[in-house]
Amino acid sequence: MSLVFNKIENADIFTRDFSPFVRNNKIEFPRSEKIAVVYGPNGTGKTSLIKVLSDAQGTAVDFSFDDVEYHAGNGVFYVINDQNNRNIISGETRDFFLGDNIRHEFELQDQVTNERNSIIASILALIKNTFGISAGNSPLIELIPRADLAAFIKDCANSKSKGNHYTTDEIVTLLTSLRHQDVPEYSTEKLAFIQGDLATKQSIIKQLELLENMDIAPNAHVNEIEENTKAIEILSHFHKNKCIVCDSEDIDWETLLTSKTANRQATLDSLDEKVKKTIEKAIPLVSISDPFGIKDCLLNAITAGDTEMIVSLLRELADYKELYGKLLENGLVDIRDGNDLIAHYTEYKQLIAERPDITDEDYLYIQEIIANSMSKPLSIERDENRRLRIYLSHKEFLGKNRDELPLSTGEQNFLSLTFEFLKAKNSTSPIVVIDDPVSSFDSIYKNKVIYAIVKMLHHKKRIVLTHNTDLIRLLDGQYKHCFKLYLLNNTDGELNGFIPLKNNEQEMLVSLEKLLSAFRESVPKHVVNKELFLISMIPFMRGYANIICNRSLFESLTQVMHGYKTERVDIARAYSELFGEHPEDLPISYEVSVTDILGKTVDGVHLLDTERFPLLDRTLRHSFTYLFLRLMVEKNLVEKFNIDTTHDEQLGQIIAAAYPNENNIEQIRNRIRLTSKKTLINEFNHFEGNLSIFQPAIDITDQALGRERTDLITFISTL
């Protein structure tokens, strides 16, 4: 269960060691809880690493996971950013819950949505391309005999609605009611004529229908209307006095045009107005565009005064109009039968009628961890459309800006983070990456967050990025040995990558009991420089003496914690007094003064066996450097500026006394220069409030510490 990186790139943020990445490039997950904690001080690249794993623009990553090669983080890593990047709880209800019924419900929901869209698209194509209905006001809709179907087709053909005025339930009900219609053999030409004619505003069929019950007087001259019409067209076009057919000469085309026009109009005027309009529409028809023979039928009927001929024609036209409706319904039936909408929607309706089957784990998490922590009701309910929704204090909050929620900042952070956990839990990504999850919380929320990481995400492998040692201890408190700890380093010229802690040092870091036990038993056996080891332990021993209320030992060790002191202190005896029976591997007595300490160096020296205690060796060398620099600065400032240490005994007071002028730029600069040094800040030399002896080693690199030492020595040399 290991993750092996071959390349991590983000502009020039990571050193060359990360590409190619061949050393300290592996993250292993313990079999118990599958958690890896990556500790990285500010500036080591935790945020940049998050961007790399998220496939942010300008980044690149190559890695293998479970022996499969990957060239992108997508699909493998589910990244949860720190609270500053979680302003909105994004996602849909489906993203947060498991449960077979719920999962299936959301699957069906997606299927129903997709199938509805597919059916609507198919219907739009059918009615437009096959049946000529391209708009909601198409006259062809009138050919659909069922009023409910006609109304639906009208809404589908509407360019604005496209069927959206109908719910899925209404569509399913309508489609279910359709039946396949038997149709006789028919002429496609006649059907096409029906569609084309009725789609126009000047429909000859509708004009013919007006003649169905009329008595038509016979008129022997009606055929002359067509003859005169054609003659008028020829004469008007050619303007010739010579016949274009027989070449007869001396034809007065203008007189003929006048005569033909008058004859045509006289014949038309002799007809009933409805007959007249119908004739005018029929005359332009030619055989190839008149598969029903409408023109001939009409002329013959008028010539003979026989309306039965028109009635017979109308019957055939009516049959084809009925055929149009049947064929359209059959087309819809074929679309319906080729789609699973009805089956899936029926199953979906049945499922949503039941209580949502949320997994016990998810339900417990919602109620016990989230809702109870904020003392606000959190519920999962169905909305008016029977879709699952999550409500906080009876209001939906997914997709809302956190500031819009009726919550404190702490509650906002907790809610957004824990819902990200739910989302991650139910994602398909095998690894969840969590950036600084507890930095913004009080102790109560911290414990709840850690519980969630351990218990709620136990199906996932987890990488927790942090610069907070509290998180490490809390994790261990929740579940012993649940994580593997790595130190992230990213500094040119140093040991870089994910540096694994040895198990014994990890236990010492998370447990004060284990740390003290190690100082009693195993550590002394692996000391390689006894004097420097004991000197480096002074700040820790002083803090521990204060914690256990050994006032005399505390006061004694204080004498070698201030540069202006001159007393000699037996630090070997102090070690024995604090940690019990005197270790045989350490001297019985070793007295030192501030002057003795300032005459020592740890340059090129190891204090412990680095195979056994690599991190403790590093942290003690750092601790020595902190102590050395503090003593050096205090001693030189007190002596140079004759500072009264009975009044100004603390480092901050001494610096202020050395540079008291608030209006002198140089003094202000010197004061700021000294008080800003990480090595001089009290928390690195006083352990009363935090007995994490490893903090000095893991929160500053060797190079950064070296730069501060050089800067302070240079500064002091100029006094």
Side-chain angles (χ1 to χ4, degrees), residues 479-531:
Y479 199 106
K480 293 293 182 184
H481 312 299
C482 70
F483 64 92
K484 177 69 177 172
L485 181 59
Y486 296 84
L487 301 181
L488 175 63
N489 198 36
N490 175 30
T491 306
D492 277 322
E494 294 192 8
L495 183 64
N496 291 314
F498 305 107
I499 304 165
L501 260 70
K502 291 184 174 294
N503 290 334
N504 63 317
E505 291 194 310
Q506 180 171 319
E507 289 183 343
M508 292 162 64
L509 188 147
V510 300
S511 168
L512 180 59
E513 180 185 355
K514 294 287 186 182
L515 177 65
L516 297 176
S517 178
F519 284 141
R520 294 188 190 101
E521 300 169 6
S522 60
V523 171
K525 298 176 183 177
H526 295 86
V527 173
V528 296
N529 191 309
K530 297 177 176 58
E531 293 181 355

Side-chain angles (χ1 to χ4, degrees), residues 108-116 168 341 344-345 348:
L108 286 172
Q109 193 179 101
D110 285 340
Q111 288 173 327
V112 166
T113 299
N114 293 334
E115 287 159 357
R116 173 200 163 106
T168 301
L341 174 63
H344 286 152
Y345 184 71
Y348 174 71

Side-chain angles (χ1 to χ4, degrees), residues 24 35 38 53 72 84 86 219 251 263 278 308 313 337 367 473 533 563 576 620 639 651 682:
N24 295 322
I35 299 174
V38 178
L53 301 183
N84 295 321
R86 292 193 310 272
N219 190 323
I251 296 176
N263 289 338
T278 308
E308 184 58 35
L313 173 61
D337 294 347
Q367 294 301 322
R473 296 191 186 91
F533 169 77
S576 300
L620 288 176
E639 293 176 355
L651 178 59
N682 280 349

Side-chain angles (χ1 to χ4, degrees), residues 120-282:
I120 292 296
S122 297
I123 290 174
L124 289 175
L126 177 75
I127 63 176
K128 180 180 180 180
N129 300 331
T130 304
F131 292 93
I133 302 174
S134 57
N137 60 353
S138 172
L140 292 171
I141 295 174
E142 298 173 9
L143 298 183
I144 302 172
R146 285 180 52 171
D148 57 346
L149 182 57
F152 174 63
I153 296 299
K154 181 181 180 69
D155 192 64
C156 288
N158 188 299
S159 60
K160 293 183 178 180
S161 60
K162 294 183 178 179
N164 286 328
H165 288 151
Y166 281 73
T167 65
T168 301
D169 192 80
E170 291 170 332
I171 293 173
V172 167
T173 300
L174 179 62
L175 292 178
T176 303
S177 71
L178 300 179
R179 297 291 181 269
H180 191 275
Q181 304 292 315
D182 293 329
V183 296
E185 292 186 8
Y186 64 93
S187 164
T188 56
E189 289 82 5
K190 290 183 176 181
L191 183 65
F193 179 85
I194 291 282
Q195 285 183 209
D197 179 77
L198 292 176
T200 66
K201 294 181 179 180
Q202 304 297 321
S203 168
I204 190 173
I205 294 174
K206 289 188 176 183
Q207 197 64 46
L208 271 172
E209 290 171 344
L210 298 176
L211 307 181
E212 184 175 9
N213 297 315
M214 282 184 59
D215 290 328
I216 300 176
N219 190 323
H221 302 286
V222 71
N223 284 298
E224 296 176 7
I225 296 174
E226 183 179 15
E227 296 172 1
N228 288 326
T229 300
K230 291 183 178 181
I232 291 168
E233 290 175 355
I234 293 171
L235 291 169
S236 297
H237 181 73
F238 292 101
H239 294 185
K240 286 187 175 183
N241 290 324
K242 181 179 179 179
C243 180
I244 63 172
V245 178
C246 65
D247 293 331
S248 299
E249 301 283 347
D250 300 326
I251 296 176
D252 188 349
W253 70 270
E254 291 181 330
T255 302
L256 278 173
L257 178 61
T258 302
S259 173
K260 296 293 183 182
T261 301
N263 289 338
R264 180 181 181 277
Q265 190 60 46
T267 306
L268 286 170
D269 291 343
S270 68
L271 301 173
D272 182 271
E273 190 64 29
K274 293 180 181 178
V275 176
K276 176 182 176 181
K277 289 182 179 180
T278 308
I279 286 290
E280 287 179 325
K281 292 181 183 296

Side-chain angles (χ1 to χ4, degrees), residues 143 179 238 361 431 448 504 507 534 571 577 643 689:
L143 298 183
R179 297 291 181 269
F238 292 101
E361 197 174 50
I431 302 175
K448 293 178 182 289
N504 63 317
E507 289 183 343
L534 288 169
I571 55 176
E577 188 174 344
I643 295 171

